[in-house]
Each structure stands twice: as structure tokens, then as C-alpha cells.
Amino acid sequence: MKTIKFFSLALAGALLVLSACKKDSGNEPSPTPGPTPTDKVTDACGNTYPVVKIGEQYWMAENLRCNKYATESEAYNASWLTNNTIPTSEKKAYTPYYTDASDKSKWDKEYDYSDNLTETQVKKLGYLYNWAAAVGVADGQKQTTAFSGNRQGICPNGWHVPSRAEWQKLVDYIEKTDGKGIDTAGKHLKTTFGWYSGDSYYESGLDTYGFAALPACYADGSSVGNVGVHTDFWTAAPNESGSAYGRKLSYYDGNLYEYGYYKDYGRSVRCLRD
């Protein structure tokens, strides 16, 4: 396992520094950030991420934004599946792909709620990965059984894509062990700003632990939809041939839902320390 160097950040709230603003808004007050992360980890692309401890778990406090597999990953130097009989429109389901969720040119304009996202926030949205890319397998459609242990996949050395049980452990800690209440885990993980707030269903985040979940949503082919409204995270667990399990946060409530997602869609990855 790669040693994680510990350090103290000089300024509280270095990750979350700008408030959400609407078009033509003036100087709005800065949001209240979550606890200041005290650790960091560097991925195979050289990006550095803050780390937060929630219960007994250590989570990245930003979405992963790397398209290289680290030296200890199962996929390091792998020869990906090449099958020229697969139609180009379907290859994303078989060959790993990565989409930059912060690239506004790829946002589906029908769901463009960028009024609520500052430029600094946009940079934090990270990459969206299909499931094959996230867990580091050449053909995600054929992977239908659970892995026997931690799956590093696209995560840095010493880290892995969380399992269903590990996501549930996070939920249980927040809602039960830490006494926040049932169906509130999402509210305590969402940022206090940056989410669509244009209707009465909006429920603001608290970012109690510094997890700093921003609404990057998902990618379907070349477009990124519902930016500002939802965010989806992969687990390492396949559901069936065409889908795998993931977790979802929405602007309108405080839950952290579990869903089965199409494997060929792009979702965010939050890595968990081994």
C-alpha cells in the first residue's frame, strides 16, 4: 500500500471556497465548508485530493479525475478488448471510457443548471467513467459476479472502488451510529452550495464531514446530463450483464439512494482507502 502523507491545511475550507451564484448575481456570502481535510492522496495522473475520515473509513473528498491505472491496479498495462464487430455506438459498453464532467461544452443544455455552479466548483466535478473503466475490466458487460476482494480499478495505489457494503457502512455511520437520522446521509454528504435550488423541492446540503459531494450527474455517450441536479457514484458490484450498483444524491432530498445503473453510462468515482 502506498503510504499516505499527512499534512495540515493552512486555510479552513480550501476545497469549498465559493458560494453558488445565479446569473448576474453580486457578491454573495461564502458557504460554510465542512471539516478541513487533514490527509491527501495523489493519483496516477499526478492529481492530489484531500481525504476525510468518516467513522472508520477514509474517503477522497473530491471526485476522481484520472484516466491512468496505477502500478498496483489489476488493470495496469492491461491490453483492453478490441472487437471490430462491435458497432461504434456500442463500444463504450465494452471498452473503458472517461468523460470530463467539468467540460461545459459536453453538458446537455436541456439540463444545464450552471447558474448554480461557479467556475471553481466546475473544476471539482471530475471525470465520469463507465463501469468497465472504473473497476478496470476490459469487458464490463461480461462481468456479472462480485469480485472476491477489494477492486482497485482506476483508484490510486492503496485505494479501491467501494463495495456495496462499504457504501452502506458509510450510510449506517451517518444515520445510525452518528445519530443523524434515517434517510439523511445524502444531506450530510452534499455541499452547502452548487445544487439546483430553483423549486420548492430543494433541500440544501450540510457537508457535515467534508465529503463535498457536488452535482456532476452522469454521461451518456458524448453528453453530460442533469449537471447541478444529481450526482451518481459507482460501486464495484455488478448487478447483471448490463448494469452495476451505484449510489445517487439529488437536489430535492437528503437520501443516498442505491440504484442499478447501465454499465455503459459514465458515473463519478469516489475512492476508499484500503
Side-chain angles (χ1 to χ4, degrees):
M1 180 188 300
K2 185 175 180 179
T3 302
I4 307 300
K5 295 182 179 179
F6 292 84
F7 75 111
S8 296
L9 291 178
L11 297 175
L15 174 61
L16 305 176
V17 295
L18 294 178
S19 63
C21 59
K22 299 185 183 298
K23 282 185 179 178
D24 302 321
S25 62
N27 295 322
E28 297 182 6
S30 297
T32 302
T36 302
T38 55
D39 307 349
K40 66 178 180 179
V41 60
T42 302
D43 65 25
C45 296
N47 302 307
T48 299
Y49 307 83
V51 175
V52 291
K53 182 181 181 184
I54 306 177
E56 298 177 351
Q57 297 175 315
Y58 289 85
W59 292 84
M60 281 186 175
E62 293 177 1
N63 294 344
L64 193 69
R65 52 184 186 277
C66 183
N67 59 1
K68 295 180 181 179
Y69 293 90
T71 56
E72 296 174 13
S73 174
E74 309 89 345
Y76 182 66
N77 281 340
S79 297
W80 295 116
L81 173 71
T82 300
N83 187 341
N84 292 326
T85 65
I86 301 174
T88 301
S89 61
E90 298 180 10
K91 280 190 175 181
K92 62 180 183 298
Y94 294 86
T95 303
Y97 86 96
Y98 322 83
T99 297
D100 186 350
S102 70
D103 184 351
K104 286 188 175 182
S105 68
K106 295 182 179 179
W107 289 8
D108 184 337
K109 300 307 178 184
E110 182 180 355
Y111 302 106
D112 181 357
Y113 293 109
S114 56
D115 290 3
N116 291 295
L117 291 168
T118 67
E119 289 300 322
T120 297
Q121 289 170 261
V122 166
K123 294 177 182 178
K124 302 293 186 183
L125 295 183
Y127 279 9
L128 300 173
Y129 305 81
N130 71 0
W131 190 75
V135 299
V137 294
D139 187 346
Q141 303 296 74
K142 291 183 178 180
Q143 180 67 41
T144 59
T145 57
F147 299 108
S148 59
N150 289 346
R151 188 72 185 179
Q152 180 175 341
I154 195 63
C155 293
N157 292 338
W159 295 70
H160 62 277
V161 181
S163 66
R164 293 178 70 194
E166 287 169 328
W167 274 107
Q168 189 59 46
K169 184 175 182 178
L170 175 66
V171 172
D172 289 344
Y173 176 79
I174 296 172
E175 297 185 347
K176 301 173 184 178
T177 310
D178 210 23
K180 301 299 184 185
I182 301 301
D183 297 336
T184 64
K187 185 172 184 176
H188 292 280
L189 298 176
K190 291 192 297 185
T191 50
T192 60
F193 59 99
W195 293 78
Y196 174 64
S197 58
D199 62 38
S200 60
Y201 296 105
Y202 168 68
E203 184 171 344
S204 62
L206 295 176
D207 199 17
T208 306
Y209 304 95
F211 189 85
L214 284 162
C217 207
Y218 65 88
D220 176 12
S222 60
S223 66
V224 180
N226 280 14
V227 175
V229 181
H230 306 296
T231 197
D232 303 323
F233 301 102
W234 282 122
T235 77
N239 182 14
E240 54 189 27
S241 178
S243 66
Y245 288 100
R247 289 282 181 162
K248 179 178 183 177
L249 293 168
S250 294
Y251 80 96
Y252 53 75
D253 67 14
N255 213 329
L256 180 60
Y257 298 97
E258 182 179 71
Y259 282 104
Y261 293 130
Y262 292 122
K263 290 178 179 177
D264 60 349
Y265 276 31
R267 313 283 177 180
S268 298
V269 170
R270 283 294 182 103
C271 300
L272 183 65
R273 197 165 79 177
D274 295 349

